[in-house]
């Protein structure tokens, strides 16, 4: 029986899914898109100062090796031959910035994570140099000048880390986002590793011209980034190199997509106008705009969606980016201790079924789309003595849904054709209360695939379809039909609008908390710390007293 089962499986494809909170390796059947096995390792985030977010690149790399080895062990236990794994795709957290030594393979500084806010004064100084009538940065990149993107993080590292400055002077430094760091390391590192990235990740650096699909000299000069340290830009589906170590040594790495583009591919949003929303550490809604760049007038980003082969056309997307989604659940677990596991939030929210007028704006890293307001900070408002941790848990879930509603409204205005339903994926979609809330707040159906691992699936599809691999067909008639779970709105439109308009009032109150001085110094100013520090205490009476004494409005 086991031998027959192996024969039936056919070629398999693996996918590294390296996210902000965890790393996973997943293996799929290329004929059916069935997930056969996977392993997951949580990744630590470091917060050296207020607003700073870092990770250890070596820990990230080690987690990839661990996930690959453990998944291969699980496949052997299932009597599945790992020699059937014909390709590996990489999907990664985007914008997170790494600089390393190409001679030793050692990182020269911690990875500066996409959420990091230390570059606010860098952004302000750079913005003064952009002519008001010619925002060449946005017209070339599709991106607003923001702490979010890699160029300003790299500029900060070059300005502040002597080890990096010295390595650049001595021609030892390489820059990359997480995909580049992993592919370089997995294909040999200092002994011949391939220094590359794909168009989707390159389009998030602010150094890449999304029209010419090349690094842009004018942008590199503007940010004062030496072009010699940048990776080669490749398509999202081609053989970059071979695994040089571990259980899958010799297997080609042949797919690379930033996580949100990978989810768009995994959701099979290949047609102009199709959209998906991924609920991970942050929340990201992408709408395929086909071969044309659509520039938003409502706070969205224009980005490269994918380019599935060297000779294949490029597709673009409009994107709405929310910094904090699943991260708010982790915060309730790790910082407040309201829950001991992420899954518990659904149970708490279910107990009350309402926030009881409590609203949570989790602007821990400022507000991204559609506001792009770095001065915002998290607040919880509408509290009474009746409010308890269940209401706060419910408000946290609602916050994810309200933020998605803001993005969807902006996207509908830019595209002119409102979405009839929303396709969703990501770890948080297993929370049924969240999915129902999302349908209620959007007032359109929410459609979730039965297999929610669409980010990894997209990376696997790109890898399996690459020239020289050819085990995964991307022809529409060959793509496996996916079963869906559907959540219909259950409240009336008027109630949905009232809740949404109250949320918008809360968002306005979250803005303007931080000055440039406080965010740059790294010292938690009173404006950084008061909103969340004062709004959540064990006794509501203490809370009211503290607010009265300190005079917070």
């Amino acid at each position: 029986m086991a031998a027959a089962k192996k024969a039936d499986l056919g070629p398999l494809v693996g996918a590294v899914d390296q996210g902000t909170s965890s790393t996973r390796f997943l293996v799929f059947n290329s004929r059916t898109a069935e997930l056969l096995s996977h392993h997951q390792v949580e990744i630590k985030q470091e917060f050296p100062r207020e607003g700073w977010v870092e990770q250890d690149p070596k820990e990230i790399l080690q987690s990839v090796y661990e996930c690959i080895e453990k998944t291969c062990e699980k496949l052997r236990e299932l009597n599945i031959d790992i020699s059937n794994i014909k390709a590996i795709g990489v999907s990664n957290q985007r914008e997170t910035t790494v600089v390393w030594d190409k001679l030793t393979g050692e990182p020269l500084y911690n990875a500066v994570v996409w959420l990091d806010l230390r570059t606010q004064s860098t952004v302000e100084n750079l913005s003064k140099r952009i002519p008001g009538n010619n925002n060449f940065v946005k017209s070339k990149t599709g991106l607003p000048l923001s702490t979010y993107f890699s160029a300003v993080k790299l500029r900060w590292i070059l300005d502040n880390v002597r080890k990096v400055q010295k390595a650049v002077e001595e021609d030892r430094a390489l820059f990359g986002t997480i995909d580049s760091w992993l592919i370089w390391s997995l294909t040999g590192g200092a002994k011949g590793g391939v220094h590359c990235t794909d168009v989707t990740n390159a389009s998030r650096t602010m150094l890449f011209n999304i029209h010419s699909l090349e690094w842009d000299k004018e942008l590199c000069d503007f940010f004062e980034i030496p072009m010699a340290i940048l990776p080669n830009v490749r398509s999202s589906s081609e053989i970059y190199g071979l695994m040089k170590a571990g259980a899958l040594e010799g297997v080609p790495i042949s797919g690379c997509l930033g996580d949100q583009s990978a989810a768009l591919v995994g959701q099979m949003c290949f047609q102009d106008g199709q959209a998906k929303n991924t609920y991970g550490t942050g929340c990201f809604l992408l709408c395929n705009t086909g071969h044309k760049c659509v520039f938003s007038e409502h706070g969205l980003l224009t980005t490269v969606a994918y380019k599935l082969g060297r000779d294949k056309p490029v597709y673009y997307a409009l994107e709405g980016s929310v910094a904090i989604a699943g991260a708010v659940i982790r915060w309730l677990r790790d910082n407040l201790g309201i829950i001991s596991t992420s899954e518990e939030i659904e149970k708490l929210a279910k107990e009350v079924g309402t926030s009881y007028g409590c609203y949570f704006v989790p602007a821990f890293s400022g507000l991204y789309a559609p506001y792009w307001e770095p001065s915002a900070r998290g607040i919880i408002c509408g509290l009474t003595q009746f409010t308890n941790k269940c209401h706060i848990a419910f408000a946290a879930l609602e916050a994810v849904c309200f933020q998605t509603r803001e993005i969807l409204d902006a996207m509908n205005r830019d595209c002119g054709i409102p979405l009839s339903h929303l396709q969703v994926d990501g770890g948080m979609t297993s929370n049924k209360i969240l999915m129902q809330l999302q349908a209620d707040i959007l007032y359109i159906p929410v459609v979730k695939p039965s297999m929610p691992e669409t980010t990894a699936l997209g990376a696997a599809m790109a890898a399996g379809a690459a020239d020289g691999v050819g085990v995964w067909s991307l022809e529409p008639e060959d793509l496996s039909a996916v079963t869906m779970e559907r959540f219909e709105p259950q409240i009336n439109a008027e109630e949905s609008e009232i809740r949404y308009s109250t949320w918008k009032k809360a968002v306005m109150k979250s803005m303007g908390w931080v000055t440039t001085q406080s965010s740059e110094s790294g010292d938690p100013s009173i404006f950084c710390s008061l909103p969340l520090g004062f709004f959540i205490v064990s006794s509501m009476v203490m809370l009211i007293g503290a607010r009265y004494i300190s005079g917070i409005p």
Side-chain angles (χ1 to χ4, degrees), residues 483-494:
T483 55
M484 299 283 188
E485 186 175 2
R486 193 176 175 94
F487 296 84
E488 299 283 350
Q490 291 183 355
I491 64 173
N492 64 53
E494 185 181 1

Side-chain angles (χ1 to χ4, degrees), residues 369-502:
Y371 300 101
W372 300 105
E373 182 49 73
S375 73
R377 281 299 177 274
I379 65 168
I380 299 176
C381 54
L383 300 176
T384 71
Q385 286 176 297
F386 181 73
T387 309
N388 63 33
K389 65 180 182 179
C390 296
H391 299 117
I392 291 171
F394 195 96
L397 294 183
E398 273 194 319
V400 176
C401 301
F402 285 130
Q403 291 179 103
T404 298
R405 166 75 187 268
E406 292 195 292
I407 298 297
L408 196 67
D409 283 359
M411 199 162 279
N412 287 340
R413 289 197 293 272
D414 278 327
C415 295
I417 305 169
L419 291 180
S420 60
H421 66 277
L422 182 65
Q423 291 176 230
V424 301
D425 58 75
M428 292 185 80
T429 61
S430 61
N431 185 321
K432 290 186 182 298
I433 286 189
L434 177 72
M435 292 294 94
Q436 186 57 57
L437 273 173
Q438 189 67 89
D440 290 345
I441 288 165
L442 297 180
Y443 212 66
I444 58 172
V446 167
V447 180
K448 172 195 161 189
S450 55
M451 199 286 291
E453 305 295 351
T454 52
T455 302
L457 178 61
M461 290 165 67
D467 284 348
V469 179
V471 299
W472 205 307
S473 171
L474 298 184
E475 295 301 320
E477 63 271 16
D478 296 328
L479 292 172
S480 301
V482 180
T483 55
M484 299 283 188
E485 186 175 2
R486 193 176 175 94
F487 296 84
E488 299 283 350
Q490 291 183 355
I491 64 173
N492 64 53
E494 185 181 1
E495 184 185 344
S496 179
E497 289 305 315
I498 290 169
R499 283 158 65 175
Y500 182 49
S501 63
T502 311

Side-chain angles (χ1 to χ4, degrees), residues 345-360:
I345 193 160
E346 186 171 6
K347 180 171 173 287
L348 285 185
K350 194 173 184 178
E351 277 183 36
V352 286
T354 175
S355 68
Y356 199 74
C358 170
Y359 287 83
F360 192 161

